[in-house]
Amino acid sequence: MIRVLGMLACATCLGAAAPPGLGRSESPTTSGRSPGGLLRAGTSVDRTPQAESLLVAARRAARAFARHEFDELVAQSNGILLSLPGSDPSAPLQPAQAALLLHAFADGADEESVEVVVARHVDGERAYVEARRVFTLRGTTTRRTQTIYMGLRLERVSYRLVELRVVP
């Protein structure tokens, strides 16, 4: 079970796929694991890297945005589409360019929170994340809210950012 903004939801409800090696028709006892999740004697352990959880990637991205660590947010990306309030959507940007634009965009803000609201798989390689940003502009006390939409792509075992849209 996963707690998301005060609600409990199972990973399947959030669109997570079954863990590798456990297809829908395969039971845990036929995959070398006992019903309690322990390995049975005589079974081998799969040493291949497991894909990162979408929710883990989504929370990591939200945390990077909240801390204004945009270099970390875009580090593994090849080209990022940005759409920020007050500007037209960009053509794909290199990570350094995207990080500079995000720094300029968020520079005058003090983040109160950036929380993942929704994280869903679109298909086997693509996912999207919706996060809620609450912040104040420096020198003011007025709280503002924006929605951040992030498009992610699974490459090998981790997700990378391919698109980020901020809407009021």
Side-chain angles (χ1 to χ4, degrees):
M1 300 299 267
I2 301 166
R3 182 173 292 277
V4 180
L5 290 180
M7 319 182 323
L8 287 178
C10 67
T12 305
C13 297
L14 293 175
L22 289 179
R24 295 221 184 263
S25 62
E26 185 178 347
S27 73
T29 55
T30 61
S31 67
R33 295 188 182 272
S34 67
L38 301 174
L39 287 173
R40 289 193 310 222
T43 60
S44 62
V45 177
D46 183 9
R47 299 275 184 217
T48 57
Q50 297 297 312
E52 167 181 49
S53 154
L54 174 57
L55 192 56
V56 168
R59 288 180 176 160
R60 187 182 65 247
R63 190 171 41 254
F65 197 102
R67 294 177 180 167
H68 294 187
E69 295 171 349
F70 301 117
D71 295 321
E72 178 185 324
L73 179 65
V74 300
Q76 301 302 317
S77 300
N78 296 328
I80 302 123
L81 298 170
L82 284 183
S83 180
L84 303 172
S87 67
D88 292 331
S90 73
L93 301 171
Q94 292 301 309
Q97 292 173 301
L100 283 173
L101 282 173
L102 288 167
H103 276 292
F105 168 73
D107 188 42
D110 290 321
E111 306 295 333
E112 290 188 22
S113 66
V114 178
E115 295 182 9
V116 174
V117 177
V118 176
R120 291 211 171 114
H121 291 95
V122 175
D123 57 32
E125 295 177 348
R126 297 178 302 148
Y128 82 91
V129 173
E130 178 183 331
R132 182 173 178 254
R133 175 186 187 216
V134 179
F135 65 101
T136 58
L137 295 176
R138 289 196 186 113
T140 69
T141 57
T142 305
R143 292 175 65 187
R144 298 174 186 229
T145 302
Q146 292 178 327
T147 302
I148 303 169
Y149 296 103
M150 292 176 267
L152 304 175
R153 183 171 299 275
L154 180 63
E155 290 191 355
R156 297 186 187 185
V157 295
S158 63
Y159 286 93
R160 69 174 178 87
L161 184 70
V162 294
E163 184 174 0
L164 187 138
R165 294 177 183 262
V166 179
V167 295

